[in-house]
Amino acid sequence: MADQQRDLEFLRRTIVLADEAVSEGNHPFGAVLVSAENQILAEGKNSYKIDKGPGHAETNLAREAARNFDEATLRAATLYTSVEPCSMCSGSIYWAEIGAVVFGMTERRLGELTGDDPENPTQDLECRVIFASGQRPVEVRGPYSELEDEIAAQHIAFWKTE
């Protein structure tokens, strides 16, 4: 499977997970961890209803992955997420030893959509900057303009109705 086709397929799964998170009373974020062999290893959703903030989909998934998979598996894996990981999630991904990240929409665009909503005090800090500060590489692909409108629509619908 070509990189872009694979990326879009797994990013679409993150959109479904984000919808599930909303139906469970949480914020619209989803993440999927995929092996080097293109198998889904784990999935994560936002857990705002439970923890009021630190349970972002990517951080939840990175914690679970670090507990359940060895370093070689994690370094060969890719974490897919509907929106670019924030600084907390990027740090969690880095420390969990995950080797690559693919995202659909930028954190900057999310900030434009959520404005000053107190439930999403988005930082304007690219994940590439955080990963570049580390001692090991984390490959980053994204954003994917093919999905940006769909992801943005999820957030417009969610943050405007809260």
Side-chain angles (χ1 to χ4, degrees):
M1 185 181 325
D3 279 352
Q4 183 170 0
Q5 179 186 349
R6 178 188 63 229
D7 288 353
L8 291 170
E9 175 187 329
F10 290 120
L11 285 171
R12 285 187 181 95
R13 177 66 187 149
T14 71
I15 294 168
V16 169
L17 290 168
D19 283 338
E20 289 177 11
V22 170
S23 71
E24 295 165 4
N26 297 300
H27 295 169
F29 298 94
V32 177
L33 185 67
V34 177
S35 72
E37 297 77 33
N38 294 321
Q39 299 300 310
I40 293 177
L41 299 173
E43 296 181 331
K45 294 183 257 185
N46 182 277
S47 56
Y48 184 82
K49 183 177 183 179
I50 296 166
D51 58 38
K52 302 295 182 208
H56 292 190
E58 303 92 330
T59 293
N60 289 339
L61 181 56
R63 285 185 192 127
E64 178 186 342
R67 287 190 293 264
N68 293 306
F69 299 102
D70 62 60
E71 185 179 297
T73 298
L74 292 169
R75 285 194 175 192
T78 301
L79 187 145
Y80 290 85
T81 180
S82 49
V83 178
E84 179 178 15
C86 71
S87 58
M88 175 183 69
C89 292
S90 296
S92 296
I93 291 164
Y94 177 82
W95 285 105
E97 301 285 342
I98 295 169
V101 171
V102 177
F103 64 90
M105 185 176 77
T106 66
E107 180 83 350
R108 176 169 286 157
R109 178 79 171 115
L110 176 65
E112 293 168 358
L113 297 173
T114 62
D116 62 356
D117 190 303
E119 288 189 12
N120 193 49
T122 301
Q123 297 172 322
D124 187 7
L125 180 58
E126 293 182 20
C127 68
R128 284 177 172 90
V129 171
I130 295 166
F131 294 134
S133 300
Q135 295 181 15
R136 69 168 183 84
V138 177
E139 178 186 355
V140 179
R141 295 190 301 277
Y144 272 88
S145 60
E146 298 92 327
L147 297 176
E148 184 173 354
D149 288 345
E150 185 176 351
I151 295 166
Q154 268 185 322
H155 289 276
I156 290 167
F158 180 83
W159 299 103
K160 299 303 181 198
T161 61
E162 286 293 291

